[in-house]
Amino acid sequence: MKQRRAMTLVEITIGFAILTAISAFFISFMTASSKEISFSADHFNAMVLSQKVSEDLLEEIALNPYGLETLGIDETIKSKHDVVDGSSVFFSFIEDRNEPWGLIEPAKDGMINSSMQPLYDSVKKFKFGVSGSRLAKTGDHEDRNLVACSIDFSWSAKTGKGSYNNSFDLFSPVSAKKVSLGVSLNEAEIDARIPAEVYMRPAQTVGELATAIGENVEAILAVGRISLISRDFINSQFYRDAKEKIKGLLAKLSTLPPEETEEIFETRLQLAKTWYELAKVCFQIVSYLEPHFATLQLQGKFDGSSGSGFNPISFQQNLMSVRIIYEYFVGSIVQARYYYYLLLGPDMVALKGNKAQMQIIQKLIDIYRVTSILPTRPQGMSEYRSFLERVHALSVNRNPFLNRMVNHELKLVGNRKNWLEHYPNLARIDDMVAGKMPGVLAFIKARTVGMLTN
Amino acid sequence: MKRLNSATTLVEVLVVIGLIGLIGVAGMRFFTSVNTSQKAFSQQAILQMESRKAFDQIIDQIREGTDVIRPATGETLHYMVFRDLINQVNMLYLEPNKEESNRLKQRVYRLISYCNDFSGLYKKENEKILHNSIKQVRFSSLSPSSVQVNATVVSDKGEYQFLAHVGLLNVGGIE
């Protein structure tokens, strides 16, 4: 008969060991789950924070093509910053939590500090660095306008070390536009008109004309194009329409009551755009004609005599037209600046909002840059500096992107050569207005002195 | 020598009972803690999921905008007003959620997105609930074309606070 007995110590010990093994399995499973969930939370946080940094970079670059350089970002991550306690500029303008209201102060309310819970505790272990390098470091290659960016987050995790990387390319144009400064014209059509309309020899071609009057084709084309293009523009529908439009808009503006803010804004904007368009076309014409003046100067034409076949009287009139076109460019760009500036009035900004204000500021910065390099406007640079100072005052502790851009620009304008190297499109305009046009204007002045004094 | 068959002694019985008791208590505690941890983990996972949902919905909504009307640049507000592509005014704001507040035993809000169409009338269909239990939300503007969102999402087992910088559509303005 089978005997009934209690469990022995050995049996119980085995049972205990089995239970322990099962428990150990469960504990390891739970620990892994816990680590996984914790890691997933950290990873999500890193992703959200990285997204914020990338949006900041986009904003920076949109305003300032040298935004990354301004932030001290280059191709390597030299040191990593904490997310919290104002360690990094990216997390120093979070929100306005203290007086003075309406200003975000990086050292006070701007940072993520321990009062911001539970965010502070969940992100205080994060460190990050940003790197960025242009795909082409020098030269005029299109790749110079692309910056490869990388944002690296790291943190101490239960699993050892967590990391998250976000890499992307930013468009940051710093090379010159691949377009001609001169107006695009049908040269063959213009050249065909030269014998008849400039030299009164309708039966001849330019080649035959050159033989007949003993001049070279290049000089004939230069005189012909200067004459026809300047004459055509002064008599053009565009020029007449622009002047008429400006006259009409000014008359309308003078009759608008102050409470008609919408109409005043639109009229001023139309005036600014019309003056700007006129300035642009005048500059393009002058830029197109400048090499033709260079040809005549190089060949010494009109230095002593007017040349065997040229008509000095009509040519002098055409030279005056070129001078008028250039002066229209200078005058129109200043007028455009004035009317764009009027759109920054408080009533105008209240009506159209901050985005329109920002676009007008950006447009004005472009225009001020041009007016500050005009040799005929020596006060242009001090006007630009004064404008930048006003934008600086507007942006401080409100718009850190604009603030950094203005600070960067104020530093650059202190060194004209360096400033122009940073903006190759502006350097091309500078080469035209400050480099070449004074010679052209002196040439025109010398050849039209009779017209000016009589 | 023949081994004597005998009953277990009192000491042996006490040792066995003691061990079984010990294992039983340890086992019960272990399974209770496993159960609690599992609940906590799943709630954390739900909180994360909810937070991601709230984050994505807020961002998607703001990205439809073209111009930030409020907050003004440099300002922080508990609501946001922006204009969209077809010039409709949209608002993001909080309204109390009593049911969730009672259930969670703390004050929480619904985050509402309202698109004001051209009729000028309130229409239920223009209202969208982006999230049901938000503890706080703050919108800060650092430029007219983007906004920073600081929001705290609440669930049964905790809070999650996130910070997002959202760029609006790059259209509109004076040109």
Side-chain angles (χ1 to χ4, degrees):
Chain A
M1 188 183 156
K2 196 180 175 192
Q3 235 179 3
R4 285 179 175 272
R5 62 174 182 86
M7 286 182 285
T8 65
L9 193 59
V10 174
E11 286 168 338
I12 287 166
T13 309
I14 290 167
F16 189 75
I18 291 167
L19 208 61
T20 308
I22 293 167
S23 307
F25 171 74
F26 268 108
I27 286 167
S28 68
F29 172 75
M30 295 305 292
T31 310
S33 295
S34 158
K35 280 180 184 170
E36 188 127 330
I37 283 174
S38 164
F39 184 81
S40 166
D42 287 342
H43 196 265
F44 178 54
N45 274 326
M47 191 190 78
V48 171
L49 295 172
S50 167
Q51 188 256 5
K52 173 173 162 34
V53 176
S54 61
E55 288 280 354
D56 276 11
L57 289 172
L58 276 171
E59 193 103 32
E60 195 82 33
I61 287 282
L63 262 183
N64 180 6
Y66 296 99
L68 295 191
E69 290 86 339
T70 309
L71 286 166
I73 294 168
D74 58 24
E75 57 197 16
T76 52
I77 297 173
K78 291 182 186 71
S79 60
K80 286 197 167 183
H81 297 278
D82 287 328
V83 168
V84 297
D85 298 322
S87 167
S88 162
V89 72
F90 290 103
F91 296 97
S92 294
F93 290 90
I94 301 301
E95 59 190 21
D96 180 23
R97 296 199 300 270
N98 297 310
E99 288 179 41
W101 303 115
L103 295 176
I104 300 175
E105 294 170 291
K108 286 166 73 183
D109 47 1
M111 67 175 80
I112 302 173
N113 58 22
S114 54
S115 70
M116 203 183 271
Q117 292 291 359
L119 184 67
Y120 182 84
D121 282 345
S122 57
V123 301
K124 67 183 177 189
K125 61 187 171 185
F126 286 93
K127 286 185 182 293
F128 78 104
V130 184
S131 64
S133 60
R134 295 195 180 274
L135 299 192
K137 287 189 177 54
T138 53
D140 207 21
H141 197 273
E142 291 297 322
D143 278 356
R144 209 168 150 235
N145 299 332
L146 286 173
V147 184
C149 275
S150 180
I151 304 170
D152 285 309
F153 271 85
S154 59
W155 63 93
S156 54
K158 287 177 182 172
T159 45
K161 197 178 173 189
S163 65
Y164 178 82
N165 172 268
N166 186 8
S167 297
F168 50 91
D169 285 351
L170 287 173
F171 180 64
S172 149
V174 292
S175 68
K177 283 183 189 169
K178 307 290 182 290
V179 290
S180 166
L181 290 182
V183 68
S184 175
L185 295 168
N186 184 341
E187 288 181 341
E189 197 179 281
I190 291 163
D191 294 349
R193 290 168 51 204
I194 290 173
E197 296 183 36
V198 180
Y199 294 90
M200 309 307 158
R201 292 167 187 257
Q204 291 176 335
T205 63
V206 171
E208 289 163 352
L209 176 67
T211 313
I213 65 172
E215 271 297 349
N216 64 78
V217 170
E218 209 182 4
I220 288 174
L221 288 180
V223 170
R225 286 177 187 172
I226 290 169
S227 302
L228 286 181
I229 292 166
S230 57
R231 198 187 300 169
D232 284 358
F233 179 73
I234 294 291
N235 295 317
S236 71
Q237 196 62 40
F238 168 80
Y239 182 62
R240 279 202 298 270
D241 286 351
K243 286 203 296 185
E244 279 304 308
K245 190 175 177 186
I246 288 166
K247 209 169 142 188
L249 288 167
L250 285 170
K252 183 182 174 187
L253 196 59
S254 66
T255 60
L256 286 171
E259 62 273 15
E260 291 279 352
T261 44
E262 177 83 50
E263 272 299 296
I264 292 172
F265 183 93
E266 286 307 323
T267 312
R268 285 176 179 170
L269 178 60
Q270 286 309 312
L271 268 167
K273 282 182 173 179
T274 311
W275 278 120
Y276 185 81
E277 190 58 26
L278 188 56
K280 192 172 90 178
V281 174
C282 288
F283 177 77
Q284 286 175 327
I285 288 173
V286 172
S287 298
Y288 176 83
L289 294 179
E290 185 280 326
H292 299 84
F293 279 98
T295 301
L296 295 179
Q297 286 172 296
L298 198 69
Q299 293 188 12
K301 299 296 174 193
F302 299 97
D303 278 354
S305 65
S306 55
S308 52
F310 300 140
N311 179 344
I313 300 301
S314 64
F315 188 58
Q316 277 190 7
Q317 283 169 346
N318 295 328
L319 289 181
M320 278 303 285
S321 297
V322 175
R323 186 174 171 150
I324 289 168
I325 295 168
Y326 181 72
E327 282 172 5
Y328 250 100
F329 154 63
V330 174
S332 302
I333 194 82
V334 174
Q335 287 293 322
R337 194 183 76 181
Y338 173 72
Y339 284 103
Y340 272 119
Y341 191 81
L342 288 182
L343 300 179
L344 290 180
D347 50 345
M348 300 286 105
V349 174
L351 176 77
K352 289 291 173 181
N354 292 334
K355 189 165 183 178
Q357 180 194 35
M358 182 60 70
Q359 288 179 337
I360 294 162
I361 288 173
Q362 286 178 277
K363 187 83 182 173
L364 274 166
I365 286 174
D366 282 346
I367 297 176
Y368 266 106
R369 280 176 179 156
V370 175
T371 56
S372 68
I373 56 173
L374 293 173
T376 48
R377 197 165 181 88
Q379 73 274 35
M381 182 52 87
S382 63
E383 288 171 343
Y384 183 33
R385 279 176 184 274
S386 168
F387 176 69
L388 288 174
E389 295 289 353
R390 290 195 291 279
V391 176
H392 182 269
L394 176 85
S395 65
V396 68
N397 288 350
R398 287 193 183 93
N399 186 334
F401 312 103
L402 182 61
N403 191 252
R404 282 192 287 270
M405 182 265 162
V406 170
N407 282 335
H408 182 244
E409 184 74 355
L410 278 167
K411 270 186 204 160
L412 282 181
V413 293
N415 180 339
R416 184 185 162 91
K417 187 172 172 282
N418 187 32
W419 178 52
L420 291 173
E421 277 171 7
H422 276 75
Y423 300 106
N425 292 312
L426 185 66
R428 289 176 75 195
I429 297 173
D430 180 68
D431 178 51
M432 184 58 67
V433 298
K436 291 169 178 164
M437 278 315 289
V440 172
L441 293 174
F443 177 84
I444 291 173
K445 191 177 175 184
R447 273 77 195 165
T448 54
V449 69
M451 291 182 75
L452 290 169
T453 50
N454 289 335
Chain B
M1 198 176 106
K2 193 181 172 185
R3 192 167 176 255
L4 276 176
N5 280 336
S6 65
T8 48
T9 65
L10 188 61
V11 176
E12 281 175 337
V13 169
L14 284 176
V15 168
V16 168
I17 289 170
L19 280 171
I20 289 170
L22 210 65
I23 291 163
V25 169
M28 274 180 71
R29 286 190 66 150
F30 172 71
F31 283 110
T32 311
S33 112
V34 165
N35 195 28
T36 314
S37 301
Q38 255 178 344
K39 270 187 189 164
F41 290 160
S42 56
Q43 276 159 349
Q44 273 176 19
I46 289 167
L47 175 61
Q48 267 186 51
M49 205 173 66
E50 285 286 312
S51 306
R52 277 176 195 240
K53 205 169 106 185
F55 176 80
D56 289 341
Q57 283 196 318
I58 291 171
I59 286 181
D60 285 353
Q61 198 66 30
I62 295 173
R63 281 204 204 283
E64 288 180 16
T66 57
D67 294 65
V68 180
I69 298 173
R70 285 288 181 275
T73 310
E75 201 175 49
T76 298
L77 293 174
H78 295 275
Y79 62 91
M80 180 184 173
V81 184
F82 61 96
R83 206 161 35 208
D84 64 18
L85 258 180
I86 51 170
N87 217 20
Q88 295 181 132
V89 172
N90 292 256
M91 287 165 279
L92 291 175
Y93 58 93
L94 297 175
E95 66 173 30
N97 185 341
K98 290 172 197 161
E99 297 77 30
E100 276 296 287
S101 298
N102 290 334
R103 193 179 71 77
L104 294 166
K105 294 187 173 48
Q106 63 172 309
R107 184 141 206 185
V108 293
Y109 303 85
R110 284 190 192 92
L111 180 62
I112 309 283
S113 159
Y114 187 78
C115 176
N116 198 2
D117 65 16
F118 305 108
S119 71
L121 301 169
Y122 169 80
K123 287 180 186 166
K124 185 74 186 162
E125 63 267 27
N126 290 351
E127 189 178 286
K128 195 155 86 180
I129 298 170
L130 297 184
H131 201 271
N132 257 318
S133 59
I134 295 277
K135 188 177 177 184
Q136 65 85 24
V137 66
R138 289 195 288 269
F139 300 95
S140 302
S141 174
L142 298 183
S143 83
S145 50
S146 71
V147 72
Q148 286 189 154
V149 186
N150 174 359
T152 308
V153 178
V154 185
S155 86
D156 292 329
K157 269 282 176 184
E159 296 175 358
Y160 177 79
Q161 187 177 13
F162 65 80
L163 193 66
H165 184 163
V166 196
L168 278 72
L169 279 175
N170 189 21
V171 290
I174 59 160
E175 295 302 332

